[in-house]
Amino acid sequence: EADIYQTPRYLVIGTGKKITLECSQTMGHDKMYWYQQDPGMELHLIHYSYGVNSTEKGDLSSESTVSRIRTEHFPLTLESARPSHTSQYLCASSDPVRAPNEQFFGPGTRLTVL
Amino acid sequence: AQSVAQPEDQVNVAEGNPLTVKCTYSVSGNPYLFWYVQYPNRGLQFLLKYITGDNLVKGSYGFEAEFNKSQTSFHLKKPSALVSDSALYFCAVRDLDSSYKLIFGSGTRLLVRP
């Protein structure tokens, strides 16, 4: 079944640790996105990708980095987690040809940095 | 710059009553508008979109939205609310500078009481 997956769903980690949030989609979408969602609900685009080997910074500055080595995979990495990184991270993908303008979201990863 | 505004942080409605979640937009040119819903501990789900055509757009779960160009609004409506409609609702507009990016509103929490 075509879908978009995120792991882990919940992560509690100590300050200074390196973490990678995984995002995979089985829909063959070229475009992928990472959003950070504040506790107060607002969504902020932090990274996006047009396709393999393409990554761009989003509207909100983030200390995280992303990579896009395969179409289906778009992991997000924090080299040294801090409490200010505590948030929910949502991954999304889109296909501008078959479903233009629609984004499909994963379930999210709720990150807590102690 | 394009933007959407959701003036209400929360909307409360009794089950069986009609509901409206408000959204206004600011776009130079023709807007592409969207509504997404987020249930607890889930990612966002696409509800409906307006690209062109009829001003009344029908979407998932019995929701509809009315595009009003003169009022620059795209309010989400449902004739009869269900308790299960309780969730976060996000209005979004396509970024005209990048057709793959969406600009989200701040979200409105809908609470339907039995």
Side-chain angles (χ1 to χ4, degrees):
Chain A
E1 179 180 334
D3 210 338
I4 181 164
Y5 305 94
Q6 288 186 246
T7 57
R9 292 293 312 278
Y10 303 93
L11 179 62
V12 180
I13 201 163
T15 296
K17 300 291 185 182
K18 178 180 179 179
I19 59 168
T20 297
L21 307 185
E22 301 288 351
C23 176
S24 296
Q25 49 95 4
T26 57
M27 296 175 281
H29 289 172
D30 286 331
K31 311 298 181 288
M32 295 189 74
Y33 314 81
W34 275 104
Y35 291 88
Q36 185 172 339
Q37 185 173 26
D38 299 338
M41 300 185 303
E42 280 200 52
L43 284 160
H44 301 284
L45 180 68
I46 52 174
H47 298 283
Y48 61 101
S49 168
Y50 290 123
V52 172
N53 294 325
S54 152
T55 61
E56 303 285 345
K57 293 284 189 182
D59 303 319
L60 178 69
S61 175
S62 174
E63 293 167 346
S64 58
T65 59
V66 293
S67 63
R68 191 87 183 275
I69 299 172
R70 302 197 317 263
T71 297
E72 63 271 22
H73 197 212
F74 192 40
L76 180 145
T77 298
L78 276 166
E79 290 293 333
S80 180
R82 293 207 303 268
S84 60
H85 296 140
T86 294
S87 191
Q88 167 133 288
Y89 293 85
L90 293 172
C91 181
S93 69
S94 68
D95 183 339
V97 175
R98 282 175 289 181
N101 306 299
E102 292 181 35
Q103 292 187 13
F104 297 84
F105 283 80
T109 294
R110 185 168 295 281
L111 172 65
T112 302
V113 184
L114 303 176
Chain B
Q2 303 90 12
S3 66
V4 289
Q6 294 181 244
E8 302 155 316
D9 289 337
Q10 182 161 315
V11 169
N12 299 307
V13 65
E15 187 173 32
N17 283 359
L19 69 87
T20 298
V21 182
K22 295 180 180 177
C23 173
T24 58
Y25 65 88
S26 175
V27 173
S28 55
N30 295 322
Y32 287 18
L33 295 160
F34 306 81
W35 275 102
Y36 283 80
V37 60
Q38 185 178 29
Y39 297 103
N41 300 315
R42 302 288 297 274
L44 275 68
Q45 295 179 37
F46 171 80
L47 272 181
L48 52 79
K49 66 181 177 183
Y50 172 82
I51 305 297
T52 186
D54 286 342
N55 290 340
L56 187 63
V57 179
K58 294 189 182 297
S60 306
Y61 311 122
F63 283 93
E64 57 189 28
E66 185 171 10
F67 172 68
N68 188 316
K69 189 172 184 177
S70 63
Q71 297 184 4
T72 62
S73 67
F74 188 57
H75 300 334
L76 181 71
K77 300 181 179 183
K78 188 173 183 180
S80 178
L82 299 173
V83 173
S84 57
D85 292 330
S86 298
L88 284 172
Y89 291 82
F90 290 92
C91 182
V93 65
R94 194 189 76 174
D95 187 339
L96 294 179
D97 294 329
S98 169
S99 61
Y100 310 122
K101 290 168 60 178
L102 293 176
I103 299 168
F104 286 89
S106 55
T108 298
R109 186 176 301 277
L110 173 66
L111 183 61
V112 182
R113 58 186 186 277

